Amino acid sequence: MSEKYLKVMFGTKSGASDFEYKMNEVNIAENWNPNETEPDKMGGFNFSTETKILRWLVRGDMIYDIEIPDGAEVIDVPHPTTPHGVFRANKIIISNPRPVTDELAMQLYKVSDIPEKSYYKALAGLAIRGCIETCKLLIKERVNKNNIDLVLSEINDFTTPNDYNHGNQKVYDEVMEMLNKIKTSI
Protein backbone atom coordinates (compact mmCIF):
# COMPACT_ATOMS: atom_id res chain seq x y z
CA MET A 1 0.00 0.00 0.00
CA SER A 2 1.39 3.37 -0.93
CA GLU A 3 1.36 6.35 1.35
CA LYS A 4 -1.13 9.20 0.98
CA TYR A 5 0.27 12.25 -0.83
CA LEU A 6 -0.43 15.78 0.42
CA LYS A 7 0.38 19.35 -0.62
CA VAL A 8 0.31 22.57 1.40
CA MET A 9 -0.44 25.91 -0.28
CA PHE A 10 -1.86 29.36 0.31
CA GLY A 11 -5.33 28.93 -1.15
CA THR A 12 -4.87 27.30 -4.56
CA LYS A 13 -1.53 28.99 -5.27
CA SER A 14 1.85 27.50 -4.64
CA GLY A 15 4.19 29.47 -2.40
CA ALA A 16 6.99 28.59 -4.81
CA SER A 17 5.37 30.10 -7.91
CA ASP A 18 2.29 31.96 -9.06
CA PHE A 19 0.78 28.81 -10.53
CA GLU A 20 -2.96 28.69 -9.86
CA TYR A 21 -4.06 25.08 -9.33
CA LYS A 22 -7.36 23.73 -10.63
CA MET A 23 -9.35 21.60 -8.20
CA ASN A 24 -10.23 18.02 -9.16
CA GLU A 25 -8.59 18.45 -12.59
CA VAL A 26 -5.25 17.42 -14.00
CA ASN A 27 -2.71 20.20 -13.45
CA ILE A 28 0.18 19.97 -15.91
CA ALA A 29 3.58 21.52 -15.18
CA GLU A 30 4.87 24.04 -17.70
CA ASN A 31 8.46 23.07 -16.85
CA TRP A 32 9.54 19.47 -16.23
CA ASN A 33 13.14 18.24 -16.13
CA PRO A 34 13.10 15.05 -14.00
CA ASN A 35 16.85 14.41 -14.46
CA GLU A 36 17.79 17.84 -13.09
CA THR A 37 19.14 17.94 -9.53
CA GLU A 38 18.56 21.62 -8.74
CA PRO A 39 14.97 22.26 -7.57
CA ASP A 40 14.68 25.54 -9.50
CA LYS A 41 15.53 23.78 -12.74
CA MET A 42 13.62 20.57 -11.98
CA GLY A 43 10.17 22.04 -12.44
CA GLY A 44 7.02 20.07 -11.82
CA PHE A 45 4.85 20.13 -8.73
CA ASN A 46 6.21 19.26 -5.30
CA PHE A 47 4.27 17.40 -2.61
CA SER A 48 4.94 15.08 0.30
CA THR A 49 3.52 12.15 2.23
CA GLU A 50 1.32 12.08 5.28
CA THR A 51 4.27 11.05 7.47
CA LYS A 52 6.60 13.77 6.13
CA ILE A 53 4.27 16.76 5.50
CA LEU A 54 4.61 18.15 9.04
CA ARG A 55 7.91 19.75 8.04
CA TRP A 56 6.17 21.61 5.20
CA LEU A 57 3.08 23.04 6.96
CA VAL A 58 4.77 26.44 7.01
CA ARG A 59 4.28 26.59 3.23
CA GLY A 60 0.58 27.41 3.36
CA ASP A 61 -2.72 27.69 5.13
CA MET A 62 -4.51 24.92 3.20
CA ILE A 63 -3.70 21.25 2.76
CA TYR A 64 -4.82 19.12 -0.19
CA ASP A 65 -4.87 15.47 -1.10
CA ILE A 66 -2.80 14.68 -4.17
CA GLU A 67 -3.72 12.13 -6.79
CA ILE A 68 -1.26 11.08 -9.46
CA PRO A 69 -3.09 10.83 -12.80
CA ASP A 70 -2.37 8.17 -15.41
CA GLY A 71 0.71 8.95 -17.45
CA ALA A 72 2.30 11.20 -14.85
CA GLU A 73 5.99 10.98 -14.01
CA VAL A 74 6.90 11.07 -10.31
CA ILE A 75 10.35 11.40 -8.77
CA ASP A 76 11.46 11.11 -5.16
CA VAL A 77 13.66 14.21 -4.87
CA PRO A 78 17.05 13.11 -3.58
CA HIS A 79 18.40 14.72 -0.43
CA PRO A 80 22.11 14.58 0.46
CA THR A 81 21.71 13.30 4.03
CA THR A 82 18.23 12.06 4.87
CA PRO A 83 14.99 11.11 3.18
CA HIS A 84 12.84 14.18 3.63
CA GLY A 85 9.72 13.18 1.76
CA VAL A 86 9.68 15.58 -1.16
CA PHE A 87 8.26 14.27 -4.40
CA ARG A 88 7.76 16.01 -7.75
CA ALA A 89 5.51 15.16 -10.63
CA ASN A 90 4.72 16.64 -14.00
CA LYS A 91 0.97 16.13 -13.43
CA ILE A 92 -1.13 16.12 -10.27
CA ILE A 93 -4.74 16.45 -9.20
CA ILE A 94 -5.50 18.37 -6.00
CA SER A 95 -8.66 17.73 -4.00
CA ASN A 96 -10.17 17.75 -0.53
CA PRO A 97 -9.01 21.23 0.60
CA ARG A 98 -8.94 21.84 4.33
CA PRO A 99 -7.40 24.56 6.44
CA VAL A 100 -4.21 23.90 8.36
CA THR A 101 -5.58 23.92 11.90
CA ASP A 102 -4.02 22.94 15.19
CA GLU A 103 -6.20 19.81 15.19
CA LEU A 104 -4.99 18.76 11.73
CA ALA A 105 -1.38 19.57 12.65
CA MET A 106 -1.72 17.40 15.78
CA GLN A 107 -2.97 14.46 13.69
CA LEU A 108 -0.05 14.88 11.30
CA TYR A 109 2.44 15.20 14.17
CA LYS A 110 1.19 11.93 15.69
CA VAL A 111 1.81 10.00 12.43
CA SER A 112 4.97 11.89 11.45
CA ASP A 113 8.24 10.15 10.73
CA ILE A 114 10.90 12.75 9.98
CA PRO A 115 14.52 13.16 11.05
CA GLU A 116 14.85 14.64 14.55
CA LYS A 117 16.28 17.96 13.32
CA SER A 118 13.30 18.31 10.98
CA TYR A 119 11.00 18.33 14.01
CA TYR A 120 12.74 21.49 15.18
CA LYS A 121 12.19 23.17 11.82
CA ALA A 122 8.60 21.89 11.91
CA LEU A 123 8.23 23.54 15.33
CA ALA A 124 8.98 26.91 13.75
CA GLY A 125 6.48 26.22 10.99
CA LEU A 126 3.81 25.08 13.43
CA ALA A 127 4.28 28.25 15.47
CA ILE A 128 4.02 30.41 12.34
CA ARG A 129 0.82 28.57 11.42
CA GLY A 130 -0.56 29.22 14.95
CA CYS A 131 -0.72 25.55 16.04
CA ILE A 132 0.01 26.14 19.73
CA GLU A 133 -1.19 22.81 21.14
CA THR A 134 0.88 20.87 18.62
CA CYS A 135 3.88 23.07 19.47
CA LYS A 136 3.42 22.40 23.19
CA LEU A 137 3.30 18.63 22.65
CA LEU A 138 6.33 18.66 20.37
CA ILE A 139 8.28 20.72 22.92
CA LYS A 140 7.21 18.39 25.75
CA GLU A 141 8.21 15.26 23.81
CA ARG A 142 11.32 16.43 21.96
CA VAL A 143 12.95 19.50 23.51
CA ASN A 144 15.13 19.50 26.61
CA LYS A 145 18.13 21.25 28.09
CA ASN A 146 20.48 18.92 26.19
CA ASN A 147 19.19 19.85 22.73
CA ILE A 148 17.82 23.37 23.24
CA ASP A 149 20.75 25.08 21.50
CA LEU A 150 20.27 22.87 18.42
CA VAL A 151 16.49 23.48 18.49
CA LEU A 152 16.98 27.26 18.63
CA SER A 153 19.62 27.10 15.90
CA GLU A 154 17.31 25.12 13.60
CA ILE A 155 14.41 27.51 14.23
CA ASN A 156 16.64 30.51 13.55
CA ASP A 157 17.99 28.87 10.38
CA PHE A 158 14.45 28.11 9.22
CA THR A 159 12.81 31.45 9.91
CA THR A 160 15.52 34.04 9.25
CA PRO A 161 16.08 33.55 5.52
CA ASN A 162 12.38 33.14 4.77
CA ASP A 163 9.61 35.69 4.70
CA TYR A 164 6.45 33.99 5.95
CA ASN A 165 4.31 37.04 6.47
CA HIS A 166 1.13 34.96 6.59
CA GLY A 167 2.08 33.81 10.07
CA ASN A 168 0.85 34.02 13.62
CA GLN A 169 3.33 36.25 15.45
CA LYS A 170 1.59 35.79 18.83
CA VAL A 171 1.96 31.99 18.81
CA TYR A 172 5.48 32.21 17.41
CA ASP A 173 6.48 34.58 20.25
CA GLU A 174 4.82 32.30 22.83
CA VAL A 175 6.74 29.28 21.52
CA MET A 176 10.01 31.21 21.55
CA GLU A 177 9.30 32.23 25.15
CA MET A 178 8.78 28.55 26.11
CA LEU A 179 12.04 27.60 24.41
CA ASN A 180 13.97 30.44 26.04
CA LYS A 181 12.70 29.30 29.45
CA ILE A 182 14.16 25.86 28.76
CA LYS A 183 17.44 27.46 27.74
CA THR A 184 17.67 29.71 30.82
CA SER A 185 16.82 26.82 33.15
CA ILE A 186 20.15 25.19 32.29
Side-chain angles (χ1 to χ4, degrees):
M1 181 178 140
S2 64
E3 224 181 330
K4 181 178 182 177
Y5 292 127
L6 300 171
K7 183 169 183 65
V8 180
M9 297 185 288
F10 289 106
T12 55
K13 279 195 173 186
S14 166
S17 71
D18 286 330
F19 186 85
E20 182 80 33
Y21 288 80
K22 296 172 273 186
M23 292 287 297
N24 301 307
E25 294 181 34
V26 176
N27 293 275
I28 301 172
E30 295 171 4
N31 180 25
W32 178 243
N33 300 302
N35 297 321
E36 185 58 61
T37 56
E38 293 181 44
D40 293 344
K41 295 179 182 177
M42 198 176 291
F45 305 113
N46 66 326
F47 51 94
S48 192
T49 63
E50 193 170 35
T51 61
K52 308 286 189 216
I53 198 73
L54 186 76
R55 163 70 173 76
W56 304 105
L57 291 184
V58 71
R59 296 287 177 105
D61 57 4
M62 297 293 290
I63 193 164
Y64 297 85
D65 292 342
I66 297 296
E67 180 184 337
I68 307 301
D70 291 339
E73 294 179 66
V74 178
I75 57 170
D76 184 348
V77 178
H79 188 270
T81 57
T82 60
H84 66 310
V86 174
F87 295 85
R88 285 190 186 254
N90 62 334
K91 301 176 188 176
I92 63 173
I93 299 169
I94 65 168
S95 63
N96 191 22
R98 53 224 182 264
V100 174
T101 63
D102 203 0
E103 182 180 2
L104 177 59
M106 185 69 76
Q107 291 170 6
L108 294 171
Y109 172 66
K110 288 179 178 180
V111 300
S112 65
D113 179 22
I114 55 180
E116 191 63 26
K117 281 174 64 171
S118 293
Y119 281 104
Y120 311 149
K121 288 187 187 314
L123 179 58
L126 290 165
I128 290 167
R129 291 277 66 82
C131 302
I132 189 64
E133 295 306 318
T134 309
C135 289
K136 287 178 182 177
L137 182 60
L138 193 153
I139 290 168
K140 179 181 174 188
E141 293 182 347
R142 298 182 178 276
V143 180
N144 58 59
K145 64 182 182 175
N146 296 320
N147 68 4
I148 189 63
D149 288 332
L150 177 59
V151 171
L152 291 169
S153 172
E154 290 297 312
I155 287 174
N156 186 50
D157 176 61
F158 190 68
T159 55
T160 302
N162 300 302
D163 181 24
Y164 296 114
N165 46 349
H166 299 285
N168 187 314
Q169 189 67 46
K170 181 177 183 254
V171 171
Y172 182 83
D173 291 345
E174 188 176 339
V175 166
M176 292 307 293
E177 187 178 319
M178 285 186 263
L179 295 174
N180 285 321
K181 281 183 183 176
I182 293 170
K183 181 167 178 61
T184 58
S185 70
I186 295 175

